[in-house]
Amino acid sequence: MAAGDTAKASSLKDFHARSIADREGFWAEQAALIDWHQPFGRVLDDSRPPFARWFLGGRTNLCHNAVDRHLAAQRDAPALIHVSTETDTERVYTFGELHREVMRMAAVMRSLGVRRGDRVLIYMPMIPEAAFAMLACARIGAIHSVVFGGFASHSLASRIDDASPVLVVSADAGSRAGKVVPYKPLLDVALELARSKPASVLMVDRGLVPFDRKPGRDHDYAPLRERHLDADVPVEWLESNEVSYTLYTSGTTGTPKGVQRDVGGYAVALAASMKYIFCGNAGETYFSTSDIGWVVGHSYIVYGPLIAGMATLMYEGTPLRPDPGILWRLVEKYRVTVMFSAPTAIRVLKKQDPSWLTRYDLSSLRALFLAGEPLDEPTARWIGEGLGKPVIDNYWQTETGWPILSVAHGIEKTPTRLGSPGMPMYGYDLRLLHEQTGEEVGVNEKGVVAIVPPLPPGCMQTVWGNDERFVQTYFSTVPGRLVYSTFDWGIRDPDGYFFILGRTDDVINVAGHRLGTREIEESLSSHPAVAECAVVGVADALKGQVATAFVVLKDPSQAASDDARLALEGQLMATVDQQLGAVARPSRVHFVTLLPKTRSGKVLRRSIQALCEARDPGDLTTIEDPSALEQVRQAVGARV
Ligand code: PRX
């Protein structure tokens, strides 16, 4: 049976049931959606749970599937559409041109000594060269690790140390809302801080800001590209389970984890998701407003749409500049059929004149997909009615690489339900488990969203360089059961729709950016005035959540006056800006003389958070000193 034939005859529930009952048969069929240089033998090896290996012995390549295989039929069709409203540039690369640029970049990387299996760290703004660099790595079998351009030196250094790259690819600067953000000084500090020293740094000079070059280490891309204009770099055929990339993400501890992904499983999972979930067809245009520094950028700016033979629109800019119609003007201009964004972007637009939604011809657009944070009902309704298009929420994680919950209109036109990201996608054996007992909870009962292994193709293989951390972190939280924890609370209604109720751990979600409160606490604690601190996520009408910090000073008299408090708050925010990046900056820093803790010394973050959100702080029987909570209450002016 050809790939996908199963879909025609079945409902989403049947499709899902088969994907679990006959994993190997199901995924063997999906594997026909991509090109294999050498066919795989076994479909799945899960003999060492919770590790799963997919399509064993098969040889393929992500870059081949994203670019080369479309050359025959689509050489002159658009592949990468780059739009920057920051620099007022627009450029369309056909598949033929993309192929050339990727080979040039690959040749430059090779000339700098990059070999198969080497790591290349990409710290770049949303420019075409960032996509070329990712695809070039995939082509030559190097492992890319993209670090979000909004992260600063400290975050960057810890990622450099973990990945030990031979090469860093960067640019002079990014630009946000008209403000140039220099990258090179941050990178230079990071390279000073890092113990691991990459041999080379490849710099794309956009001409936005001058930068220093370290002789022998730093190379300009433009002259090297000139030298390799006619480069012909064949793809490396990689075994399906070789590593394609690592992408760092935050969790409970202060050290980010390198989510490691394979080659074949990822390609198959993305191809299947483009067909069944996003319903995108070759020759059409896909537009995701995300950033290549996040998982959505990996799966649904670069690899997914290109694997499907679609043009992908890569956008550097905000939803509001030059005016709040910019996203829709791009949909009209490039005949976008599938669009992907985050609820925060829509909430930003919601503050503008709604007529911006109807000024352009959106007839090409079939659906707007939203993910990354909870989609509140008013926002979903506003954008759905304003555009007159289906809005499809989807829930997933950096770890999974593609949606866990959604509706799959390529299989069945299941209706969406406001407030719910939908139902389990094929391949995920999803359960809701009681936090303490590990038992499955009933309909309408809250539980931890968990996945029974093996994780489907495309999901993380392990934590980079640390199998034990993979098992410990993700598979050891539900007592007595080897199941993957998403660290999200969920609930299921009688019709099988899931609802996500927030995190079970200390991860917060600011404007769709996933941040660990521990990282922010560590950064604040590095300030010499700070004795200890606690950071919590507080509900925010625009960003979903914002970070709020409570700081105990070594010398409380330093915060005696309003002026002193304000000055110190500014200093602490600047510390986070410099170390982690503005994305992690707390929106408020409150000074207290004591943090609410249990008698065993655990900070009562959930109670602090509750007070910040004017909710009941919950069970306080174990609190060491109730006056600490009183201080929090006063600081935030709570009346609970
Ligand atoms: O808490 C969930 C929330 O974002 C987390 C994953 O974030 P990240 O690793 O950055 O991956 C984003 C991929 C889209 C989840 O554990 N989250 C993501 N999507 C949703 C969501 N919460 C509610 N609804 C969603 N649709």
Side-chain angles (χ1 to χ4, degrees), residues 272-309:
S273 72
M274 292 304 297
K275 181 180 166 92
Y276 303 125
I277 303 173
F278 296 101
C279 304
N281 306 307
E284 299 176 349
T285 304
Y286 195 101
F287 177 18
S288 163
T289 64
S290 184
D291 187 285
I292 47 142
W294 307 114
V295 69
V296 178
H298 285 63
S299 293
Y300 298 113
I301 293 177
V302 178
Y303 292 114
L306 292 174
I307 286 174

Side-chain angles (χ1 to χ4, degrees), residues 311-329:
T312 183
L313 201 163
M314 184 178 185
Y315 175 59
E316 182 186 49
T318 72
L320 298 180
R321 274 171 41 101
D323 59 56
I326 179 63
L327 300 183
W328 318 114
R329 191 152 64 244

Side-chain angles (χ1 to χ4, degrees), residues 106-124:
V108 170
M109 286 183 178
R110 282 218 166 137
S111 76
L112 295 173
V114 179
R115 301 282 170 262
R116 181 172 176 165
D118 285 346
R119 272 79 58 211
V120 173
L121 190 132
I122 298 174
Y123 180 59
M124 291 178 95

Side-chain angles (χ1 to χ4, degrees), residues 295-296 371-374 393-398 488 503 509 514:
V295 69
V296 178
E373 52 179 319
D393 190 357
N394 55 116
Y395 158 86
W396 45 294
Q397 308 183 301
T398 306
D488 283 303
R503 297 280 304 193
N509 197 318
R514 173 171 162 183

Side-chain angles (χ1 to χ4, degrees), residues 318-442:
T318 72
L320 298 180
R321 274 171 41 101
D323 59 56
I326 179 63
L327 300 183
W328 318 114
R329 191 152 64 244
L330 292 173
V331 170
E332 175 184 278
K333 180 166 182 186
Y334 293 105
R335 308 294 299 155
V336 171
T337 57
V338 187
M339 188 162 168
F340 193 128
S341 193
T344 294
I346 307 304
R347 287 193 293 263
V348 165
L349 293 176
K350 210 165 120 195
K351 296 189 156 180
Q352 310 295 322
D353 180 352
S355 75
W356 285 111
L357 300 180
T358 49
R359 289 191 199 179
Y360 298 95
D361 173 11
L362 304 184
S363 56
S364 60
L365 188 66
R366 284 196 295 269
L368 171 65
F369 290 83
L370 295 173
E373 52 179 319
L375 173 61
D376 54 288
E377 294 190 23
T379 301
R381 203 174 282 120
W382 181 82
I383 191 68
E385 287 170 5
L387 295 175
K389 304 284 177 184
V391 171
I392 303 180
D393 190 357
N394 55 116
Y395 158 86
W396 45 294
Q397 308 183 301
T398 306
E399 288 83 346
T400 66
W402 60 281
I404 303 172
L405 293 172
S406 191
V407 288
H409 284 175
I411 299 163
E412 180 191 38
K413 287 267 180 299
T414 320
T416 54
R417 193 162 284 187
L418 281 176
S420 164
M423 302 188 182
M425 288 294 95
Y426 51 89
Y428 291 101
D429 187 357
L430 209 63
R431 310 288 172 97
L432 284 172
L433 303 179
H434 190 279
E435 189 184 24
Q436 260 106 45
T437 64
E439 301 283 324
E440 272 183 62
V441 300

